[in-house]
C-alpha cells in the first residue's frame, strides 16, 4: 500500500460512500484508511432515519439521491441494507409551521421529492396510537423511512471492493504532507501512501485531521441522545396482525422523532442545552463510544411525546444511546474542496450523515473526477465559513444549530448565537440610528432601521403553546423589534419607507462585508481575461462586472473589476462567499509569480451613498468633479472626502444615482460623519439590506446562488451582455457556447405576481402551467417603487415571452403571475445615469 490515486480517510458511512462512488466512476485505484473497524465512529449507533425534509436545495438533492440509491445496493452486493420505507409524518400545531410545510412543498416539488398534506384524521388512520386533537395538519413523505447504518456501510464497502477499491482497517493516519510537485503523502502507523487526492471523512476527528494540513475545519460535535422502550402490547398486537409499521413520526413543534423499534418505540429529541463534545477530538483509543445518558435534559420533550403518544409513557426505557453527532454552525455538512489546499477534499460535519452519505459521496466523487459537481453545492460548500469560525464560535453556533433542528426555518430568521463578532466601525452609529442587524459571514450588517423607540409588545408576538416558540430574536435585555415570518411581517412598511426615502432623497448603507482583493502584476490583465467572461478594463478608473464560470458554463462567482493602476485591479464580490471566491482565484493563479493576490476585505470598508441627492451630498465634501462628464456611470476615481482618500465607484445594486465609497477601514467613521453632516440638509437616512434586495429585484439584478448557479448556464441566467463576444478564451467558454447552440433549458424572467395580500414569493416556489411544473421562483418580494409583488424565475424558454400567464404556488395558494419586461423599475437606467 504505498501509492494510490485517492486516499479516503475514515471508514464511517460517509467515507465508504465516497470510496464507492469514486470507484463507480472508474477510479479503481482508491484506498480507504480506517483507524479501527468500519462504522466504529458515529455510524454504528445512528438511529438510521432518512429524513428527506430539508429547506436547503443542495442538502435536499443530496438526501433525495440517497433515498433513491440505497435500495439499489442489495441487488448489486447481495447485502441487505435493512431499508424500511415506512414513510414519515411531520405534525403541525401552528400556522407558522404549516406555512413552513407549504414553503417546503415548493422546494420539494422543484427538486422532485414527493410530499403530501394530511388532515389530523388521516394522521390518526396511519398512526392510531397518536393523539391528533391539537394538530392542524401534517405532511408526509411516502418514500422516507429508516435503514440499518452498519449494514448500509458494509454494502457500500462491498460494492466499492467489487470495483477494485481497497480498504485498510485498523490503520491510523498520523500525518499528511504535500510535496512540491503537488502529490500528497499520507503517513499511517503502517507506512506511507503517496496519492494525487486526499479526502477527509473523519467525522468527530475532523479538526484533528484538519490540523495535519493546517486547516481549521469548522466542525465540532454535539451530544445527541435517543432511547428505545420495552415492547408495548399494542405494537406487538399490530405486528401479530401483520399490520404495517406506523412509520416515523415527527412532532416538529416539540422537537422530537419517534418510530417503532423491535416492538417498542424509539424517541430522539433535539433539546436546548445539549453540549458540544470532543472539542479537542476523541481520545486516541475511542471506538464505539457512547457518553453517560442524561434523560433529565430531555424531560420536556418526553412529556410532549407522552401527550402525543400515550402508549409511549406506558413502557419502560430499555436502552439510551448518547453519542456524538458532528455539527457545523448552520447544521449542513461540509462537502467539497478544502480552501487553500489543492486536491484536498472534505466530506465532514455530517449531522444527518446516514441520510446524506449517498448523495454527498456521489457529488464529491464527481467533483474530484470531473472537476465539478453536477448539482449546486453552494449550501454545503466548505468555504461558506471563514477563519472567524474558530473553536469558541463553533461551540456556540453548533450547539445552537443542534437546538434549532426543528424550529420553524423562517426565511428572515437571524439566529442569536455568536453575534456581534465582526463589527464595522460604524456599527454603533448605525445602531443609534435604529439598525436591526443581520449576520453574514460573521459580520453584523443592518437589515433594516426601526423608528426611534420602536418595539413589539407581547400582544404583537405570537406565543403559541408549543415547545419551540421561536419567531423573534431572544436577546437578553434588548427590546424585540422584529418577528420572523413566511409572510409580510412587522418590518414590511419600514423597509418600504427606506425604499421610498432612497428613491426620493438620499440614503447611506454599510456594505463593508463585501469580499475585496487586489490582483496585480505584469500578468494580471491577461490572466483575468483568460479566466473571467467579460473584457478586462483597459483604462485606469474603468469598471465592469465579470463572471467566473464552471467548466460547464454555469456561474460560480461574480466580480466587479476596477482598474486601479497600470498592472493593478481591485476585485469586489459577495461578502458571504469571500473564502469561496478568493479560493478559486488563488488556485487558478499562474505559479510563475506574474500575478499577485492581496486580500483587502478587512482593510477596506464600503459605504454606499445613493438616491437623487447623492451627488449634492458628495459634492459638499469633495473637490472632485461629480458631473456625468467628469464622473460617468461605471467608472471609479480616487477622490478625497474631507481629508480621507477613498475610491469612489459610480455603481450600486439598487438602480439609483450613487457611489460606492471604498475606504481604509480605520477612516470609516470620519467619512460616515462627514457624509451624514453634509447630507443633513438633504434629509439623509440609512437603509438596510432588505431594502437593497427588493430594489435590486425591481432592476432584475441577479444573485448567487439564486438566479446565478452552477446548474444554470450563464446564458440561461441572462448574462449575455457580460460575456465578451470578442474573446476567444475564458474558463467555461467552450461548453457555454455548445449549450447555447444545443438550445437552453431555462430562461430567467421577471414576473408580476397577482392578488398578493400578505405573502409574496420568497424564492424556491413552484411555477405551473395548469398542473404542469414549468419553472421555479429564484427571488421574490414586493417592489415598492413599482408597487407590485414581483418574482424572478427560471421558466422553460418557450414560456418566457412577455405577457405569458403562469401560476405560482405561494404557501399553498395559487397566484396568477405574468411575465413582464426585465427591470420594471427604470428600464432605461435614467436614475443611474442621472
Ligand atoms: C445518537 C445518534 C443518532 C443518530 N441518528 C441518525 C439518524 O437517524 N439519521 C442520520 O442520518 N444520522 C444520524 N446520526 C448522525 C450519524 O451517525 C452521523 O452523521 C454519521 O454516522 C457520520 O458518518 P461519518 O462517516 O461522517 O463519521 P463516522 O461514522 O464517525 O466515521 C468517521 C471515521 O473516521 C475514522 N478516522 C478518524 N480519524 C482517522 C484517522 N486519523 N485515521 C484513520 N481513520 C480515522 C474514525 O475511526 C471513524 O470510523 C445520529 C448520530 C447520533 C450520535
Amino acid at each position: 500500500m504505498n501509492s494510490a490515486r485517492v486516499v479516503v480517510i475514515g471508514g464511517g458511512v460517509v467515507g465508504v460512500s465516497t470510496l464507492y462512488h469514486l470507484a463507480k466512476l472508474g477510479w479503481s485505484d482508491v484506498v480507504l484508511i480506517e483507524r479501527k473497524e468500519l462504522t466504529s465512529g458515529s455510524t454504528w449507533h445512528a438511529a438510521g432515519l432518512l429524513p428527506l425534509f430539508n429547506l436547503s436545495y443542495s442538502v435536499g438533492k443530496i438526501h433525495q439521491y440517497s433515498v433513491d440509491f440505497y435500495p439499489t445496493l442489495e441487488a448489486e452486493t447481495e447485502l441487505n441494507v435493512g431499508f424500511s420505507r415506512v414513510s414519515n409524518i411531520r405534525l403541525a400545531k401552528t400556522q407558522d409551521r404549516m406555512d413552513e410545510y407549504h414553503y417546503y412543498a415548493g422546494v420539494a416539488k422543484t427538486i422532485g421529492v414527493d410530499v403530501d398534506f394530511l388532515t389530523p384524521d388521516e394522521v390518526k388512520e396511519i398512526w392510531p396510537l397518536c393523539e391528533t386533537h391539537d394538530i392542524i395538519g401534517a405532511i408526509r413523505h411516502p418514500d422516507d423511512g429508516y435503514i440499518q447504518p452498519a449494514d448500509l456501510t458494509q454494502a457500500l464497502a462491498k460494492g466499492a471492493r467489487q470495483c477494485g477499491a481497497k480498504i485498510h482497517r485498523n490503520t491510523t493516519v498520523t500525518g499528511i504532507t504535500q510535496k512540491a510537485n503537488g502529490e500528497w503523502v499520507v503517513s499511517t502507523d503502517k507506512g506511507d501512501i503517496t496519492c494525487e487526492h486526499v479526502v477527509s471523512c473523519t467525522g468527530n476527528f475532523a479538526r484533528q485531521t484538519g490540523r495535519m494540513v493546517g486547516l481549521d475545519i469548522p466542525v465540532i460535535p454535539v451530544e445527541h441522545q435517543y432511547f428505545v422502550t420495552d415492547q408495548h402490547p399494542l405494537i406487538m398486537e399490530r405486528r401479530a396482525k401483520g399490520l404495517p409499521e406506523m412509520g416515523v413520526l415527527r412532532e416538529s413543534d416539540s422537537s422530537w422523532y419517534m418510530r417503532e423499534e423491535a416492538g417498542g418505540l424509539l424517541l430522539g429529541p433535539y433539546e436546548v442545552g445539549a453540549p458540544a463534545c470532543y472539542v479537542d477530538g476523541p481520545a486516541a483509543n475511542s471506538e464505539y463510544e457512547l457518553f453517560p445518558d442524561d434523560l433529565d435534559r430531555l424531560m420536556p420533550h418526553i412529556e410532549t411525546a407522552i401527550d402525543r403518544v400515550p402508549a409511549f409513557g406506558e413502557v419502560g426505557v430499555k436502552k439510551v444511546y448518547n453519542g456524538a453527532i458532528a455539527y457545523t454552525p448552520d447544521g449542513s455538512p461540509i462537502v467539497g474542496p478544502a480552501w487553500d489546499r489543492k486536491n484536498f477534499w472534505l466530506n465532514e460535519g455530517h449531522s444527518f450523515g446516514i441520510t446524506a452519505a449517498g448523495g454527498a459521496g456521489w457529488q464529491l466523487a464527481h467533483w474530484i473526477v470531473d472537476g465539478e459537481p453536477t448539482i449546486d453545492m453552494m449550501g454545503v460548500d466548505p468555504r461558506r465559513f471563514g477563519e472567524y469560525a474558530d473553536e469558541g464560535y463553533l461551540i456556540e453556533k453548533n450547539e445552537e444549530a443542534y437546538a434549532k433542528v426543528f424550529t420553524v426555518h423562517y426565511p428572515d430568521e437571524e439566529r442569536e448565537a455568536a453575534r456581534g463578532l465582526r463589527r464595522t466601525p460604524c456599527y454603533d452609529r448605525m445602531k443609534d440610528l435604529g439598525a436591526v442587524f443581520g449576520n453574514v459571514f460573521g459580520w453584523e450588517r443592518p437589515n433594516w432601521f426601526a423608528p426611534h423607540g420602536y418595539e413589539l409588545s407581547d400582544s404583537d408576538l405570537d406565543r403559541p403553546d408549543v415547545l419551540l416558540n421561536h419567531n423573534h430574536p431572544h436577546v437578553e435585555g434588548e427590546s424585540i423589534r422584529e418577528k420572523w415570518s413566511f409572510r409580510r411581517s412587522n418590518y414590511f412598511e419600514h423597509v418600504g419607507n427606506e425604499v421610498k426615502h432612497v428613491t426620493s432623497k438620499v440614503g447611506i448603507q454599510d456594505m463593508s462585508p463585501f469580499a475585496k482583493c487586489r490582483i496585480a502584476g505584469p500578468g494580471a490583465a491577461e490572466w483575468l481575461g483568460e479566466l473571467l467572461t467579460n473584457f478586462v478594463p483597459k483604462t485606469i478608473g474603468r469598471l465592469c462586472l465579470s463572471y467566473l464560470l464552471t467548466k460547464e458554463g454555469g456561474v460560480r462567482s461574480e466580480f466587479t473589476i476596477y482598474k486601479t493602476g497600470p498592472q493593478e485591479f481591485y476585485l469586489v464580490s459577495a461578502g458571504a462567499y469571500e473564502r469561496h471566491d478568493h479560493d478559486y482565484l488563488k488556485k487558478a493563479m499562474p505559479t510563475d509569480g506574474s500575478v499577485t493576490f492581496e486580500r483587502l476585505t478587512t482593510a477596506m470598508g464600503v459605504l454606499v451613498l445613493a438616491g437623487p441627492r447623492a451627488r449634492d451630498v458628495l459634492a459638499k465634501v469633495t473637490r472632485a468633479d461629480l458631473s456625468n462628464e467628469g464622473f460617468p456611470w461605471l467608472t471609479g476615481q480616487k477622490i478625497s472626502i474631507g481629508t480621507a482618500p477613498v475610491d469612489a465607484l459610480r455603481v450600486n445594486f439598487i438602480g439609483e444615482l450613487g457611489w460606492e465609497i471604498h475606504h481604509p477601514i480605520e477612516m470609516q467613521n470620519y467619512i460616515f460623519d462627514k457624509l451624514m453632516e453634509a447630507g443633513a440638509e438633504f434629509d439623509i437616512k440609512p437603509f438596510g439590506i432588505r431594502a437593497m434586495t427588493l430594489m435590486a429585484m425591481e432592476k432584475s439584478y441577479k444573485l448567487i446562488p439564486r438566479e446565478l448557479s452552477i446548474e444554470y448556464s450563464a446564458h440561461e441566467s441572462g448574462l449575455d451582455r457580460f460575456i465578451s463576444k470578442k474573446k476567444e478564451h475564458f474558463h467555461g467558454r467552450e461548453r457555454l457556447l455548445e449549450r447555447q447552440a444545443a438550445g437552453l433549458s431555462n430562461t430567467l424572467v421577471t414576473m408580476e405576481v397577482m392578488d398578493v395580500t400578505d405573502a409574496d414569493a420568497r424564492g424556491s416556489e413552484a411555477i405551473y402551467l395548469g398542473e404542469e411544473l414549468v419553472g421555479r421562483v429564484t427571488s421574490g418580494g414586493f417592489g415598492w417603487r413599482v408597487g407590485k409583488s414581483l418574482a424572478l424565475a427560471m421558466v422553460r424558454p418557450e414560456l418566457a415571452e412577455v405577457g405569458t400567464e403562469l401560476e405560482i404556488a405561494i404557501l399553498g395558494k395559487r397566484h396568477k403571475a405574468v411575465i413582464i419586461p426585465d427591470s420594471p423599475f427604470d428600464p432605461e437606467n435614467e436614475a443611474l445615469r442621472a
Side-chain angles (χ1 to χ4, degrees):
M1 76 162 203
N2 49 19
S3 76
R5 191 149 192 199
V6 185
V7 170
V8 177
I9 311 172
V13 66
V14 172
V16 180
S17 172
T18 309
L19 186 79
Y20 170 94
H21 284 93
L22 283 166
K24 276 278 163 188
L25 286 180
W27 281 26
S28 52
D29 183 15
V30 289
V31 166
L32 183 142
I33 309 289
E34 164 54 48
R35 47 189 276 287
K36 300 285 185 188
E37 291 295 339
L38 297 184
T39 78
S40 64
S42 266
T43 297
W44 71 280
H45 58 51
L49 305 176
L50 302 175
L52 280 164
F53 183 89
N54 204 291
L55 290 174
S56 151
Y57 175 83
S58 310
V59 179
K61 288 282 248 193
I62 284 172
H63 286 189
Q64 179 196 26
Y65 171 89
S66 298
V67 170
D68 291 345
F69 158 65
Y70 292 158
T72 67
L73 276 168
E74 185 165 353
E76 186 182 331
T77 63
E78 291 169 356
L79 292 180
N80 184 340
V81 295
F83 190 174
S84 307
R85 208 185 277 272
V86 292
S87 94
N88 155 12
I89 293 174
R90 299 177 90 92
L91 306 175
K93 288 175 80 176
T94 66
Q95 184 53 47
D96 277 15
R97 184 66 70 182
M98 276 318 270
D99 280 355
E100 181 189 42
Y101 290 168
H102 278 295
Y103 179 76
Y104 165 71
V107 177
K109 182 83 192 169
T110 54
I111 293 179
V113 167
D114 270 350
V115 56
D116 30 66
F117 283 81
L118 302 179
T119 62
D121 287 346
E122 287 166 331
V123 172
K124 188 87 187 166
E125 235 169 78
I126 301 167
W127 245 94
L129 303 192
C130 171
E131 289 296 327
T132 53
H133 61 276
D134 58 345
I135 62 167
I136 59 173
I139 51 169
R140 181 177 63 151
H141 287 95
D143 295 329
D144 190 306
Y146 64 92
I147 202 162
Q148 299 305 327
D151 297 346
L152 167 66
T153 311
Q154 293 303 343
L156 287 164
K158 184 168 176 192
R161 286 194 188 102
Q162 283 173 353
C163 296
K166 294 199 176 53
I167 296 179
H168 299 286
R169 294 176 292 123
N170 298 308
T171 306
T172 302
V173 172
T174 51
I176 309 166
T177 47
Q178 194 165 27
K179 297 204 281 191
N181 67 0
E183 278 181 341
W184 290 97
V185 179
V186 177
S187 304
T188 78
D189 54 355
K190 300 200 174 143
D192 290 355
I193 314 176
T194 305
C195 58
E196 225 176 282
H197 299 267
V198 179
V199 192
S200 177
C201 309
T202 55
N204 302 320
F205 294 78
R207 287 174 76 70
Q208 281 152 304
T209 319
R211 264 178 227 131
M212 294 182 194
V213 290
L215 288 176
D216 195 6
I217 297 180
V219 173
I220 287 186
V222 176
E223 284 186 22
H224 175 55
Q225 308 180 77
Y226 70 83
F227 60 95
V228 182
T229 69
D230 294 325
Q231 292 181 334
H232 193 286
L234 284 176
I235 296 177
M236 295 309 288
E237 194 186 308
R238 284 181 61 86
R239 293 201 159 192
K241 286 185 183 156
L243 290 170
E245 250 189 65
M246 292 175 291
V248 182
L249 185 70
R250 286 189 167 79
E251 180 161 318
S252 310
D253 299 301
S254 302
S255 194
W256 50 254
Y257 56 83
M258 182 186 280
R259 69 168 168 86
E260 291 181 36
E261 172 70 19
L265 290 165
L266 178 158
L267 181 79
Y270 279 83
E271 75 281 23
V272 174
C277 56
Y278 291 147
V279 174
D280 297 314
N285 60 355
S286 166
E287 180 181 17
Y288 301 111
E289 193 166 19
L290 290 175
F291 306 119
D293 55 39
D294 182 358
L295 289 187
D296 283 353
R297 223 164 60 210
L298 307 184
M299 276 324 286
H301 306 269
I302 293 173
E303 280 162 19
T304 58
I306 294 172
D307 288 345
R308 180 66 53 215
V309 181
F312 173 72
E314 294 163 7
V315 274
V317 173
K318 190 165 84 181
K319 177 144 177 70
V320 183
Y321 294 81
N322 184 7
I325 193 160
Y327 257 87
T328 64
D330 62 7
S332 291
I334 286 192
V335 188
W339 56 99
D340 295 341
R341 305 283 180 281
K342 279 191 183 169
N343 296 341
F344 194 89
W345 304 84
L346 301 172
N347 204 348
E348 298 281 13
H350 284 275
S351 54
F352 289 96
I354 312 304
T355 324
W362 161 59
Q363 281 303 307
L364 193 58
H366 273 291
W367 216 332
I368 296 169
V369 171
D370 307 329
E372 302 284 359
T374 61
I375 65 168
D376 174 11
M377 295 284 279
M378 215 49 153
V380 295
D381 195 293
R383 297 159 294 190
R384 70 188 187 280
F385 306 108
E387 59 195 21
Y388 61 88
D390 203 354
E391 186 182 289
Y393 180 90
L394 293 174
I395 292 173
E396 267 196 41
K397 287 299 285 182
N398 296 7
E399 287 180 356
E400 177 192 59
Y402 174 88
K404 290 191 189 293
V405 162
F406 276 107
T407 52
V408 176
H409 299 299
Y410 296 102
D412 51 356
E413 180 189 20
E414 292 286 354
R415 294 191 170 176
E416 299 96 333
R419 293 297 297 271
L421 180 61
R422 305 180 82 194
R423 304 177 192 198
T424 60
C426 69
Y427 172 89
D428 287 329
R429 282 164 167 74
M430 288 296 199
K431 196 170 177 189
D432 289 346
L433 289 164
V436 179
F437 290 93
N439 195 273
V440 62
F441 213 61
W443 291 99
E444 293 297 312
R445 202 171 55 165
N447 271 345
W448 62 282
F449 289 81
H452 185 66
Y454 179 86
E455 64 181 86
L456 291 174
S457 66
D458 274 0
S459 61
D460 288 329
L461 300 166
D462 281 349
R463 292 186 185 273
D465 184 23
V466 293
L467 270 189
L468 295 184
N469 181 1
H470 188 77
N471 68 346
H472 48 267
H474 293 279
V475 184
E476 278 299 304
E478 281 198 14
S479 56
I480 297 162
R481 291 179 296 170
E482 76 175 356
K483 197 169 124 178
W484 305 315
S485 175
F486 286 87
R487 297 166 188 270
R488 292 176 181 171
S489 193
N490 68 295
Y491 55 82
F492 180 74
E493 297 287 343
H494 302 293
V495 170
N497 291 338
E498 286 171 36
V499 173
K500 288 178 199 157
H501 191 90
V502 176
T503 213
S504 60
K505 295 181 177 174
V506 58
I508 186 166
Q509 189 192 18
D510 180 13
M511 288 297 283
S512 302
F514 269 147
K516 304 153 221 113
C517 65
R518 182 169 12 252
I519 301 289
E526 190 186 338
W527 174 64
L528 285 173
E530 291 274 304
L531 189 69
L532 307 178
T533 56
N534 210 346
F535 70 90
V536 180
K538 286 204 173 66
T539 320
I540 293 175
R542 278 298 301 278
L543 292 170
C544 76
L545 260 190
S546 201
Y547 294 85
L548 176 62
L549 303 190
T550 66
K551 220 166 56 179
E552 286 296 306
V555 181
R556 198 191 287 298
S557 306
E558 175 185 73
F559 295 98
T560 300
I561 306 182
Y562 167 43
K563 181 154 170 141
T564 47
Q567 296 183 349
E568 199 182 275
F569 300 89
Y570 177 75
L571 268 60
V572 184
S573 64
Y577 304 120
E578 183 196 21
R579 184 174 261 176
H580 174 271
D581 292 353
H582 287 182
D583 187 50
Y584 274 107
L585 292 177
K586 286 187 274 181
K587 283 181 181 157
M589 265 165 54
T591 48
D592 59 6
S594 59
V595 183
T596 59
F597 170 95
E598 186 188 354
R599 175 178 180 247
L600 295 174
T601 303
T602 49
M604 302 293 288
V606 184
L607 293 173
V608 176
L609 182 72
R613 307 312 297 267
R615 182 179 282 122
D616 299 325
V617 176
L618 200 52
K620 285 181 69 182
V621 293
T622 182
R623 290 184 56 253
D625 175 2
L626 301 175
S627 68
N628 269 328
E629 298 69 41
F631 207 142
W633 182 41
L634 294 180
T635 63
Q637 284 181 30
K638 289 188 184 305
I639 65 171
S640 291
I641 291 189
T643 51
V646 307
D647 278 283
L649 313 190
R650 200 172 152 192
V651 284
N652 62 65
F653 202 56
I654 62 171
E656 297 287 346
L657 169 69
W659 282 265
E660 273 180 8
I661 297 162
H662 294 249
H663 53 270
I665 195 110
E666 69 278 17
M667 300 181 194
Q668 179 162 82
N669 281 341
Y670 170 84
I671 296 164
F672 188 88
D673 292 345
K674 278 264 165 213
L675 292 173
M676 290 303 281
E677 220 176 277
E681 69 173 285
F682 306 102
D683 196 16
I684 190 168
K685 284 190 181 165
F687 65 101
I689 282 290
R690 292 197 177 138
M692 185 202 81
T693 312
L694 293 177
M695 288 191 270
M697 202 182 48
E698 286 175 296
K699 292 293 296 167
S700 305
Y701 291 162
K702 302 145 183 91
L703 280 175
I704 290 175
R706 293 166 171 260
E707 292 73 35
L708 308 175
S709 135
I710 74 152
E711 284 189 37
Y712 300 124
S713 97
H715 286 125
E716 288 177 317
S717 296
L719 295 182
D720 304 45
R721 69 199 166 92
F722 304 105
I723 300 168
S724 166
K725 301 223 169 29
K726 291 193 193 132
K727 286 190 352 185
E728 284 181 8
H729 188 263
F730 55 80
H731 187 69
R733 181 174 179 270
E734 214 168 289
R735 283 287 295 136
L736 180 75
L737 298 184
E738 273 172 29
R739 281 172 77 178
Q740 190 182 29
L744 302 174
S745 316
N746 299 285
T747 301
L748 181 68
V749 294
T750 305
M751 304 183 93
E752 178 181 354
V753 190
M754 306 302 187
D755 306 320
V756 172
T757 50
D758 76 333
D760 299 286
R762 293 272 186 175
S764 294
E765 289 82 0
I767 303 180
Y768 296 92
L769 177 63
E771 285 316 301
E772 199 186 349
L773 177 73
V774 294
R776 67 187 274 255
V777 175
T778 51
S779 295
F782 189 69
W784 286 92
R785 291 176 297 191
V786 296
K788 291 174 177 166
S789 184
L790 297 174
L792 301 183
M794 283 289 181
V795 298
R796 289 197 201 145
E798 67 273 19
L799 298 172
E801 284 290 306
V802 167
T804 307
E805 283 185 17
L806 301 169
E807 281 186 320
I808 299 182
I810 303 176
L811 303 184
K813 185 172 165 227
R814 293 278 183 103
H815 290 261
K816 189 168 101 179
V818 183
I819 298 179
I820 57 173
D822 278 351
S823 188
F825 173 73
D826 188 18
E828 303 304 325
N829 292 328
E830 282 167 15
L832 277 165
R833 294 173 202 269

